[in-house]
Structures are given as C-alpha cells and as structure tokens.
Amino acid sequence: MKFCRTLAVAATVTVATPVALLTAAPAFASGSSAAPAPDQPTYAELVKTATAAQKAYDEAVAAETEGRKEVEATLKALDSDTHPLKAASIAADKAAKEAAATKDAAQKAVADAKAQLDAAQSDSDKAEAQRVLAAAEGDLAKAVTAQQEADAAAEKAHTALDDARVAAARKYSRIQQALEKARAAKEAADKALAAAKECVRESGLTSQAVGLPAEVAAGSTVGFTLRVTNGTRRTLAVDPLVFFHVAGESRGAKSLLKVEWSNGSTWQALNGEDPEHIAHLDVMKPGEHSDVKLRMKVDSAARNAEAFALLAGDASDAYNPCVLGPMKRYDFTLLPAGSKTAPSGDAKPVPPGGDDDKRPGAAKPGKGSAPSAQGGTSAQATGTTTTAAGAEGSLAETGSSPAMAPIALTSAATVVLGAGAVVAARRRTSTRGV
C-alpha cells in the first residue's frame, strides 16, 4: 500500500511562536469502523477482475482491428471480377443477357413467319409459311424457357455474392458487439477498483503518545511510547506515522530534536524532515494494540522553543489499500539546559484544528518490499500486541514477504522570512502487493 498525506505547517522565524497545522482537504470514502459486507469482494479480487477485464478489452480491441481489416479485405475481394462469386455473377448476367437476345430474335422470327403466312397466296406457299411459323414458335418457346433459367441463375449468383457481403458485415458486427461488452465490463471493473482505492477514514484506529513530556530541557533525553490501537472491526496491516518538528526550523537545517524508535533490537533515527512510517504491523486484529518505544534527544544548545508531534495510523486491509486513522497532535516546549520541567509531566493531545485531520487520498498500491518493525524485510511486528481483554503476547511471525517495499517519504518545504511556511508532504511510497 502506498499513502500520501500532506501537512502544511505555517511557522514564523521566531522560535517561541507556536506552530499551527494547516492541511489540504482530501476526498475520503465514507466509512467509520464498519466491517466489510460478507459478500464484498476483496481488493485482490477486484484487481484480478480489473486485470482480466483489461486483458479481455485489449483482446477485443485487437480483434476489432483485425476484424475491420478482414471485412474490408473481404468486401474488396468480393468486388473484384476475379473472385469466384463475382465472376459467377458476371457470367450469369452475360448468359441472361444472351438468353434475352435469343428470345427477342425468336419473337421477331415468329412475327415474320406470321407475316409470310398472311401474305401467302397459293396453298403451297401457305403450307410452307405455316411450317416456318410452327418452327419459329417452337424456337421461341425454347428461348423463353432458356431466358427464365438464365435469369434464375443470375439471381442466384447475385444472391450468393450479396450473402457473402452480408456474412462479412455480420461477422464484423459481432466483433463490434463483443468489443462494446468488453468495454462495459472493463469500465465497471475499473469503477469498482477505483472505489476500493478511495481512502477510508477509521476513527477507531488511534495513535497515542504515552509518557511524552510537556516540557523538555536542553541536553536531556526522554523516553516515551507510541501506542497504536485498532478499535475498528477490521483486521488491519498498520503503519504508524510520526512527525516531530520545532517551530522556526527550516528544511535542511540541523534540528534541535533527534527522535529514534526501537525495532526491538536497535534504535533507528527518524529523518526529522518528513512524516515517517515506522514499526510496520502486518496483522492487527480488532481490539488489539501495539506499543513502540521512542526516545527524544534535545540538543544542548536549545533555548525556549515550541515543538509538536503528529501521530496517526496508516493501514490497509483485504478490502481497502488505504485506511486512515485520525491525526493526533501533541504540543510540547523546549527549555534551556538546566531548566526545571513541570512535575505534571505528559503532553496532552490538543483538539485538532479545522484542517488538522484532513488528508489527500492515498496513492495507489504497487509492489515491492518494506522493512518491518524488526528491521530487514521480516513481516514480524515490533513489540507486543494486547487484546481488548488485556492478554499480552507476541504477534505471530509470518515470515519474509517480497511484496513489502522499502518506505520512502517525499516532501517539499519552503520558509518565508517573517511568516514562513514549511510544507511537509508525507508520502509513503512503500507498497505491499495484493
């Protein structure tokens, strides 16, 4: 799965000025802790259907192209005098024309014989004229029959030629109909897949900072925990997202904060410039939670400054490649070295602003392999997972997965003197195949 969340952080150059979080509004698919319908196709099934529909459509397009060429070639051939059907039609027309001429000649011979009979004076002349007339009428009868047969043969030849043209056209029409059906199936499959790719908001997928102090003195290191809880009715693959920032710090500058997270055996540093996914959990069932240890080192040169942490849960399940939990924000203060911090302790989540929890739709899933919470490419999750009943145990190891890609986050940031804006785009380019 690949996620894209954009955080636009407005900041002034004065380090003591609080940082306000502003984001671009996304389009989320509706949904809040709703379990998929029993007969709902999985995302993998939708991808398979869309892939098959695309293949069928491509084949139908190719078949239509070939079919069009074939029908054009067939019709062109049928119009050629050398084609057997066209040649037979031409020969039949010629025979019918000759038969008509023969009949016309026979009719004239009968007319001439009748005229001779009428003009005969003697009995012998009349007898001879009668014999000629009888012969002419016999020839005419034969000519009429021959013409009828020739006309019928010509009609049959023309019908055969026309039938061949119609057959070619019908064959192409069936190919066109198959293309239209394939196009409709492809569009329906693409629409269903696009709907599944829409980001689903799950308010029950929560992230909480436990033990993050409200005040931290320069030169000190504090430890705390990120707790991600699956309060939904979905079984999810979860990627906690974290981002720490000090007001006034520009992109590329050395940060006063160094934040690290534990993968169970080593500490891994956050890049400090972009929102970042950590501690991938391949399977988190409804009601379970997972804790990730973090520690934050504050540079000894730090003076009074305002800072904040952003926490959220990015996830996917068998039905949606983009499931997003709400953004949570914690404000805390950096104090000069040696300062006494408030005994009350922990930073509290502040109510999100109007745009704090709005994020753009996730980018579409792809392929690759991503590091797990344990490091490397193992799909085993970090830390422990606890059920709603409170029973604690390690998540089952599922083995390595070549379909999990390395996490890559991209962002852009700009600072304008006096009232600069730091734009941090959080984009997870890691993808897990389906």
Side-chain angles (χ1 to χ4, degrees), residues 125-213:
D125 289 341
K126 290 181 180 180
E128 179 60 23
Q130 187 63 51
R131 184 188 65 76
V132 172
L133 177 59
E137 288 177 340
D139 292 339
L140 176 59
K142 292 178 181 179
V144 170
T145 300
Q147 183 188 23
Q148 291 173 344
E149 292 175 349
D151 287 345
E155 183 178 358
K156 183 177 180 181
H158 280 289
T159 299
L161 182 60
D162 290 341
D163 286 348
R165 292 192 178 104
V166 171
R170 285 177 176 172
K171 181 178 180 180
Y172 178 59
S173 178
R174 289 193 294 269
I175 293 174
Q176 287 182 308
Q177 291 172 1
L179 174 59
E180 290 305 314
K181 290 179 64 176
R183 179 184 287 111
K186 173 187 175 299
E187 290 174 351
D190 288 345
K191 183 177 180 180
L193 183 61
K197 288 179 180 179
E198 290 291 331
C199 289
V200 175
R201 185 193 298 273
E202 282 286 10
S203 58
L205 178 60
T206 60
S207 300
Q208 178 184 5
V210 180
L212 174 65

Side-chain angles (χ1 to χ4, degrees), residues 360-400:
K364 308 313 177 191
K367 298 180 181 178
S369 97
S372 73
Q374 297 292 340
T377 57
S378 170
Q380 183 176 352
T382 280
T384 58
T385 297
T386 306
T387 65
E392 189 172 281
S394 298
L395 288 176
E397 183 175 349
T398 60
S400 62

Side-chain angles (χ1 to χ4, degrees), residues 2-4 27-30 194-201 320-324 359-364:
K2 181 190 293 182
F3 298 101
C4 173
F28 282 101
S30 61
K197 288 179 180 179
E198 290 291 331
C199 289
V200 175
R201 185 193 298 273
N320 297 92
C322 178
V323 179
L324 303 178
R359 293 155 292 197
K364 308 313 177 191

Side-chain angles (χ1 to χ4, degrees), residues 267-288:
W267 289 95
Q268 299 190 17
L270 300 181
N271 64 35
E273 301 231 345
D274 308 307
E276 192 167 349
H277 291 94
I278 64 174
H280 170 77
L281 295 167
D282 196 56
V283 176
M284 182 181 281
K285 296 180 179 179
E288 293 182 340

